[in-house]
Amino acid sequence: MRFKQLSPTIAIMAKTRAQTIGRWIFASLVASLTLFNALGFEHWSYAEVIIWSFIALLSWHLLFARRRIQFDLKQQLITINVSSLYPLTQQVIPINHIAAFQIRQRLGQPHRYDLLIVMDTQIEPLRFQYGDLPQMKKLGQEISQFCAVPLLFD
């Protein structure tokens, strides 16, 4: 995951190449299976057609899924937008309510780590990103410097 600074107030986390390639492969596979099965739809029941339509829709959502994170230092906000074929969700986190960013090892996964947002108003931290330790350290340091919030290690 790369961290790009677009302007003094906004930064975006881009999709990794592996995620993009994986989505294209999965969506292409499901789309081609749907196309092959569509040739024989007249022999299928309505339930089978609906199931294949649902699977095709999910593959399109995977193909176009995008997570965009914006840091606005003027308004002191972190905005996380998740969209696919249409906007799915938006989360707004005030930077002035962030106590720290924290890197914690994932339970049961020895080489995977979570980058968490520790809020001063919540007991449980918010999961922000995950990956291997060097990647999370680099990302955590960049974000903590950008937002002027401390970074904690477990």
Side-chain angles (χ1 to χ4, degrees):
M1 179 92 20
R2 293 188 325 213
F3 183 75
K4 297 188 267 183
Q5 185 172 342
L6 296 181
S7 72
T9 59
I10 297 176
I12 297 174
M13 295 174 66
K15 293 187 288 188
T16 63
R17 184 178 175 143
Q19 289 172 336
T20 304
I21 292 171
R23 285 188 191 124
W24 276 99
I25 290 172
F26 180 77
S28 299
L29 177 67
V30 173
S32 63
L33 286 173
T34 303
L35 180 64
F36 289 132
N37 289 323
L39 299 175
F41 271 159
E42 65 271 0
H43 303 292
W44 287 30
S45 68
Y46 288 119
E48 292 171 324
V49 172
I50 290 173
I51 289 171
W52 270 106
S53 299
F54 183 70
I55 291 171
L57 177 66
L58 287 178
S59 70
W60 279 102
H61 274 293
L62 281 175
L63 179 63
F64 293 108
R66 181 192 313 177
R67 181 174 173 226
R68 182 179 173 154
I69 302 171
Q70 294 180 333
F71 296 87
D72 188 348
L73 294 179
K74 272 187 184 174
Q75 296 179 359
Q76 292 289 301
L77 295 174
I78 298 174
T79 306
I80 302 170
N81 292 309
V82 179
S83 63
S84 182
L85 298 173
Y86 49 85
L88 297 173
T89 186
Q90 180 181 29
Q91 182 180 21
V92 179
I93 303 168
I95 294 175
N96 56 356
H97 291 295
I98 296 175
F101 290 99
Q102 180 182 21
I103 297 175
R104 185 189 305 168
Q105 187 173 12
R106 288 189 128 191
L107 234 77
Q109 296 180 352
H111 303 293
R112 303 297 282 180
Y113 290 83
D114 286 326
L115 179 60
L116 306 169
I117 298 175
V118 180
M119 304 291 289
D120 59 3
T121 58
Q122 291 181 330
I123 296 172
E124 196 64 30
L126 304 171
R127 195 179 103 209
F128 185 69
Q129 190 59 275
Y130 66 94
D132 59 356
L133 184 59
Q135 181 185 21
M136 290 301 100
K137 277 185 179 179
K138 182 180 179 201
L139 182 62
Q141 288 170 350
E142 288 177 355
I143 292 174
S144 70
Q145 288 174 358
F146 192 75
C147 295
V149 175
L151 177 65
L152 307 173
F153 295 99
D154 261 1

